[in-house]
Amino acid sequence: MNTYDPNAASYVIPDDELLADEAQYSSFGDTVHYVDPPKIFRHGQGSYMYDTAGVPFLDLQMWYSAVNFGYSNKRLNDTLKHQIDVLPQVASQYLHQTRIELAKTIAVDAQKKFGLKGRVHFNVGGAQAVEDSLKLVRNYKNGKSLMFAFEGGYHGRTLGASSITSSYRYRRRFGHFGERAMFIPFPYPFRRPKGMTPEEYSDHCVRQFARLFETEYNGVWDPKVSQAEYAAFYVEPIQGTGGYVVPPRNFFKDLKKVLDQYGILMVVDEIQMGFWRTGKLWSIEHFGVTPDVIVFGKALTNGLNPLSGLWAREEMINPTIFPPGSTHSTFNSNPLGTSLGLEVIKMGYELDYEKTVPEKGAYFLEGLKDLQKRHKEIGDVDGLGLALRAEICTDDGFTPNKALLDKMVDIGLAGDLEHNGKKIGLVLDVGGWYKNVITFAPSLDISYEEIDLAMALLDQLLTKAKKAM
């Protein structure tokens, strides 16, 4: 049995003891164990995590796109250390410099891009920011509580966020959700109806949505008073947990025309795709529409501190309509988080991620396409910037093959792949409607050599997994 020694240079409990204690004392409700036994990592650097034996694991998911700028990023770590010495904490009812600077930076950036004045509101996690946005929308829409959202969409697991997340399994055990969203089909190019191009499928999805407003008997519109029953449409520009599905470029423009016609707000969830994951600060910038609300989190602090928030149009969020105390968290806009967020945005523009991310993403995608030629089980590859996907199928190249991907994850986390005669592991994330999609979210600073290594390891991994099936 290890005992804590505050004077010890290092304090390392063996993996087997940690796993035994975790099995006895930890709730499993707040985590997901992808492999058995769960994997324990000890430290990270750049694109790699390291286990207790010192084996490196190339991480191609970076904490669900929360660590966009790599583990132990010196510039961001130094920012955190400096802030600890200056002002590490302050109650959220008081002000401090970086809170105001960060809000201004995001709001000025949005005004430049979208031509709208707005304000920024902070919280501590993505789902909490979604909850705040629901309050904001309901308040602005005079208490209307019904929302539209997409099939395949994911917005979090708090009660409000679960109501607009399409998966029933997140709601099943927690009672009746009377204000559950109406879920609308999302154009999924790889699994579109036969005989349609992706663009035709996109048009079809928009037409089916617009049909809901044709008459009062279609269910959501009262033509006598020109009023919709629904307040807002929650969208991920690229579906995250849904499998990094990239819709045709015309989709959101066409959808927004319908929303504007019937007075429905567009709330854009950028929690996974924000902060240059796609090569833009916000992924919605690729689609040529102006959002009413943007919700953000994750990579805002590179995973070093929980901070999230939202930007909204001035008329929705000004202090007269959304007064002090409308929401609250003890830790929102904490100085450690806001100083990091400010540095993340400065760094992103200084390092020109708008140029480097699309270039690296194109190179990564070409590698996946080459891999696809050698493995017929890769049914689809696609992506935008460094948000990429590979859909794992049976040998017909279309039927979902969750079992094969599960085996790939197991082998990757075992750390028994080989590179230059040494052991190495591979960290992958599983997503998709059928849980058969590898969702790639590597560090935005990943090198071209590391991308080449990723392709070699994926090739090795697929070969091993197929033999093990």
Side-chain angles (χ1 to χ4, degrees), residues 219-452:
V220 303
W221 179 250
D222 182 349
K224 290 188 176 182
V225 295
S226 297
Q227 191 174 117
E229 187 176 12
Y230 287 71
F233 202 137
Y234 275 73
V235 310
E236 293 171 285
I238 297 172
Q239 292 202 326
T241 302
Y244 284 22
V245 180
V246 184
R249 293 299 178 98
N250 60 307
F251 175 66
F252 283 111
K253 273 189 176 179
D254 295 341
L255 179 67
K256 188 66 161 56
K257 290 176 184 176
V258 179
L259 299 181
D260 289 346
Q261 182 178 352
Y262 296 106
I264 296 167
L265 301 171
M266 176 183 275
V267 182
V268 176
D269 183 336
E270 292 278 0
I271 293 166
Q272 273 207 54
M273 294 297 154
F275 304 104
W276 295 283
R277 171 55 56 196
T278 65
K280 299 284 188 182
L281 181 66
W282 309 123
S283 60
I284 195 64
E285 294 178 54
H286 294 280
F287 297 96
V289 298
T290 298
D292 297 292
V293 181
I294 297 173
V295 183
F296 54 83
K298 286 192 186 295
L300 174 61
T301 63
N302 205 40
L304 291 170
N305 181 277
L307 184 69
S308 65
L310 61 86
W311 167 91
R313 293 191 285 113
E314 173 72 11
E315 56 266 39
M316 296 180 65
I317 201 172
N318 70 73
T320 300
I321 193 168
F322 202 65
S326 294
T327 80
H328 182 74
S329 167
T330 301
F331 297 99
N332 72 28
S333 67
N334 69 83
L336 298 179
T338 56
S339 63
L340 282 164
L342 189 62
E343 194 63 26
V344 158
I345 294 178
K346 288 179 180 177
M347 185 178 74
Y349 281 119
E350 287 174 12
L351 298 183
D352 200 11
Y353 285 126
E354 288 197 346
K355 179 176 183 292
T356 62
V357 168
E359 290 172 348
K360 289 179 180 178
Y363 187 80
F364 200 119
L365 187 58
E366 282 304 310
L368 291 176
K369 288 178 179 178
D370 182 63
L371 204 61
Q372 186 182 30
K373 294 174 185 176
R374 288 177 278 128
H375 294 275
K376 55 189 176 181
E377 291 82 5
I378 300 178
D380 179 56
V381 297
D382 196 9
L384 188 58
L386 281 168
L388 303 119
R389 73 191 312 269
E391 187 147 349
I392 304 302
C393 303
T394 61
D395 58 11
D396 67 5
F398 188 77
T399 304
N401 194 343
K402 178 181 181 296
L404 179 57
L405 181 50
D406 287 345
K407 180 61 69 175
M408 291 172 66
V409 171
D410 289 347
I411 295 171
L413 285 177
D416 288 329
L417 301 173
E418 291 188 2
H419 177 63
N420 291 336
K422 295 181 179 179
K423 286 187 175 183
I424 189 170
L426 192 62
V427 178
L428 302 176
D429 192 29
V430 174
W433 296 21
Y434 304 95
K435 295 293 179 279
N436 70 315
V437 178
I438 306 173
T439 51
F440 296 102
S443 166
L444 305 187
D445 292 325
I446 191 171
S447 68
Y448 287 94
E449 291 77 15
E450 287 170 339
I451 295 173
D452 290 340

